[in-house]
Structure formats: C-alpha cells, structure tokens
C-alpha cells in the first residue's frame, strides 16, 4: 500500500502537502516529491535539499513511527531555506494522533 492511499493524516501548508502514515518502525522516514510542474531540475533539487535538511535537523522532534511524504506545490518554487523550515515546522507543532 502506498503512503498516499494509507495516509492517516494530511497537513497542508502554502507550499507543501504532507502525508503521514504509520509504519512498524520506531523512527520516522521521509519521502519528497517535486514534479516538473514546480520548475526546472535546479529548482526541484533545491527544494528537495531544503526538505531533507529540515528532516536531518529535526528528526528527533518528528513523530516517530510514521512515514512522511512531502509533496511540493508550485508555490514551493520561490521559497527560501528559512521559509521551508517555517512551513514544515507544522510537523513539530501539531500532535499526530
């Protein structure tokens, strides 16, 4: 079953859709999806780097036992590193249950 079909929670920010699905592990895992509609390869890779960096810096505060899929909207093309950090902070602030 894919994460999108089995997602137990959906969080949406201005630039991202975040899907959460429970897994059988005791640590979070992340997947990042940025389609060609968002921009060129340079833009898509920059967004993915920013999201992975957020995950690296905050993985202890993220909900454990969940797979997270971060899907970038077209608006993500113009975000800076600090904007990505602020938008994804919703994962740290909201309870998952």
């Amino acid at each position: 079953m894919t994460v999108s079909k089995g997602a137990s929670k959906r969080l949406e920010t201005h630039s991202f859709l975040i899907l959460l699905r429970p897994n059988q592990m005791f640590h979070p895992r992340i997947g990042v999806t940025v389609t060609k509609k968002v921009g060129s390869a340079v833009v898509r890779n920059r967004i993915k780097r920013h999201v992975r960096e957020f995950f690296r810096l905050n993985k202890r505060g993220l909900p454990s036992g969940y797979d997270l899929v971060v899907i970038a909207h077209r608006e993500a093309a113009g975000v800076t590193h600090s904007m990505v950090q602020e938008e994804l902070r919703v994962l740290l602030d909201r309870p998952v249950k």
Side-chain angles (χ1 to χ4, degrees), residues 29-55:
R29 297 186 301 179
I30 190 166
V32 183
T33 301
V34 185
T35 65
K36 287 184 179 180
K37 292 178 183 178
V38 174
S40 67
V42 173
V43 172
R44 294 192 312 267
N45 288 331
R46 181 179 48 82
I47 293 167
K48 289 187 275 187
R49 278 195 309 274
H50 290 321
V51 171
R52 286 193 302 260
E53 180 67 4
F54 172 83
F55 181 76

Side-chain angles (χ1 to χ4, degrees), residues 68-83:
L68 298 94
V69 175
V70 179
I71 302 169
H73 295 306
R74 287 186 176 141
E75 292 80 14
V79 297
T80 63
H81 179 71
S82 60
M83 292 168 70

Side-chain angles (χ1 to χ4, degrees), residues 2-65:
T2 63
V3 174
S4 59
K5 289 184 182 179
S8 63
K9 184 145 187 160
R10 295 169 55 102
L11 303 172
E12 193 150 4
T13 67
H14 179 71
S15 304
F16 300 101
L17 170 65
I18 304 155
L19 304 174
L20 289 99
R21 178 176 180 240
N23 64 25
Q24 302 299 320
M25 300 176 191
F26 297 106
H27 57 84
R29 297 186 301 179
I30 190 166
V32 183
T33 301
V34 185
T35 65
K36 287 184 179 180
K37 292 178 183 178
V38 174
S40 67
V42 173
V43 172
R44 294 192 312 267
N45 288 331
R46 181 179 48 82
I47 293 167
K48 289 187 275 187
R49 278 195 309 274
H50 290 321
V51 171
R52 286 193 302 260
E53 180 67 4
F54 172 83
F55 181 76
R56 184 186 73 80
L57 294 173
N58 297 290
K59 62 183 158 190
R60 286 195 170 88
L62 293 173
S64 60

